[in-house]
Amino acid sequence: MSVEIRQVRTKAERKAFIKFAWNVYRKDPQLKKNWVPPVISDYMKTLDTETFPLYEHAELAMFTAWKDGAMAGTIAALENSRHNEVHQDRVGFWGFFECYNDQEVANALFAAAAVWLKKKGLDTMRGPVSPSMNDQCGMLTKGYDSPPVFLMLYNPPYYNDLVINAGHHVGQELLAWYIDQKIIDIGRLRKISQHVMKREGLSIRIIDMKNFDAEIAKVRDIYNSAWEKNWGFVPMTDREFDFMAKSLKPIANPHYIYFVEDAEGRTIGFSLSLPDINQALRHVNGNPFTPWGFLKYLWYSRNISLVRTIVMGVLPEYRNKGIDSILNTHIADYGGQHGLFASEMSWVLKSNEAMSKLAKVIGGKPYKEYVIYEKKIA
């Protein structure tokens, strides 16, 4: 039987689009072992084009594939006008790809996304990006033997074959670095940090949660400035950044959000790490806000053993001066004192030699690899 493609248009269809993933991962013992179900309510918000701030400058289309009368796969296509303004190209994106191991279904999904993107005047498709480079992106190609950390993706190994066989090629490679805090020479790191702080006249502090909005404004300004030269980066609008910050605030530990300031009190760098709440979310089946789900979430949150360092940013004039050593020292120091003896630094461009060097210096190992694929739209 041929594959039928349907475009998602209603709230109920959007929820079915999200829930399809359970059919892929729950039926395979190995995938089920490590997959962390997405929080359904969060995905519902992310895919809501009426309220999610990304769609003030982007357009989204969601498609489901049907075979033998049953849903067999999903994909979303996205036109991000700010990306094309910043990079002066005509790139569109695909993401939220889930599919059985069926090349015919995968081909139909990619074709549907390509047709939609082509109608928008775009000539290249890139993904998985779900739904932007500031969110979840990259397809896992190495590191299937452990669960993903918070806001990182997980997928069956065969997904990569489906993408390659559909004519896509590697556009960019990403790494996740695992850092065992127990083997870090924290004494040496402290000395380096103290030397840099004294030499540059710097100080470090944690975020002031009582002045959250003002603090987030500082993070936003440095983030957009520090990352502007990165591959595929698009500065976040104030509304996008505020929306993201407020959604993460409930799980933030202020002792993992640091600001580095100069002698005049100007913020010149920051780091943002979050506890790996996936270690708790994997037990609640995508529903942490039900009474039973919330109780289970609280129970399993007691023993979170890892943090994810999502981003570090330093103003351009302070790059290559060792500011990262100050931030890493405090992350490792606090974690070691409070039972969090591991961290993941992700994601990092494989081509970013400076960040790879930094990760190696503090004992990091690249234990997961991801790919963002590209394909010309015919």
Side-chain angles (χ1 to χ4, degrees), residues 90-330:
R90 291 190 292 155
V91 173
F93 300 91
W94 59 268
F96 299 97
F97 175 79
E98 303 289 357
C99 189
Y100 293 135
N101 194 3
D102 187 322
Q103 192 66 53
E104 182 185 25
V105 173
N107 289 348
L109 288 166
F110 288 122
V115 167
W116 187 87
L117 292 169
K118 187 174 183 179
K119 288 180 180 178
K120 300 296 178 183
L122 305 173
D123 62 16
T124 303
M125 57 194 300
R126 179 182 294 169
V129 174
S130 305
S132 80
M133 292 292 291
N134 293 309
D135 297 284
Q136 298 180 88
C137 56
M139 185 165 284
L140 186 67
T141 59
K142 176 184 176 183
Y144 297 102
D145 56 346
S146 60
V149 301
F150 184 51
L151 297 179
M152 294 296 284
L153 293 172
Y154 187 82
N155 55 264
Y158 69 78
Y159 275 19
N160 295 281
D161 295 330
L162 294 179
V163 179
I164 292 292
N165 292 336
H168 300 246
H169 65 271
V170 175
Q172 193 64 254
E173 295 174 287
L174 316 174
L175 297 176
W177 291 83
Y178 181 85
I179 300 163
D180 186 344
Q181 310 279 29
K182 291 178 286 188
I183 66 172
I184 290 177
D185 187 343
I186 193 65
R188 177 173 173 269
L189 266 184
R190 285 196 197 104
K191 289 180 181 178
I192 295 172
S193 172
Q194 290 165 2
H195 172 73
V196 173
M197 290 174 70
K198 184 177 180 180
R199 184 190 69 206
E200 303 294 334
L202 304 175
S203 59
I204 188 168
R205 65 175 179 84
I206 63 173
I207 188 172
D208 180 0
M209 298 297 281
K210 293 181 180 178
N211 294 300
F212 186 76
D213 291 345
E215 296 281 67
I216 288 303
K218 295 174 184 178
V219 172
R220 181 183 62 237
D221 292 344
I222 295 177
Y223 177 76
N224 284 339
S225 172
W227 280 56
E228 64 178 344
K229 302 297 183 183
N230 268 30
W231 178 87
F233 176 73
V234 177
M236 298 178 76
T237 65
D238 290 358
R239 188 158 176 268
E240 281 181 277
F241 207 96
D242 291 344
F243 187 96
M244 178 189 70
K246 287 174 182 175
S247 68
L248 297 177
K249 183 179 179 181
I251 64 169
N253 179 335
H255 291 278
Y256 286 114
I257 306 174
Y258 291 100
F259 292 91
V260 177
E261 298 175 337
D262 65 13
E264 284 72 46
R266 181 177 68 130
T267 302
I268 59 94
F270 79 95
S271 68
L272 168 63
S273 300
L274 292 172
D276 179 26
I277 63 170
N278 268 10
Q279 294 182 21
L281 289 176
R282 64 186 303 189
H283 299 284
V284 302
N285 201 33
N287 295 290
F289 303 116
T290 63
W292 181 236
F294 186 62
L295 286 174
K296 291 179 74 174
Y297 174 80
L298 291 177
W299 176 262
Y300 287 103
S301 293
R302 300 173 310 142
N303 299 313
I304 290 175
S305 60
L306 180 144
V307 295
R308 178 190 170 201
T309 298
I310 297 177
V311 61
M312 288 186 181
V314 179
L315 290 178
E317 60 266 36
Y318 277 92
R319 288 176 188 160
N320 303 315
K321 291 189 176 183
I323 310 303
D324 46 61
S325 67
I326 302 173
L327 295 165
N328 280 312
T329 297
H330 282 74

Side-chain angles (χ1 to χ4, degrees), residues 14 29 106 357 372:
R14 193 191 333 153
K357 182 178 180 180
I372 295 178

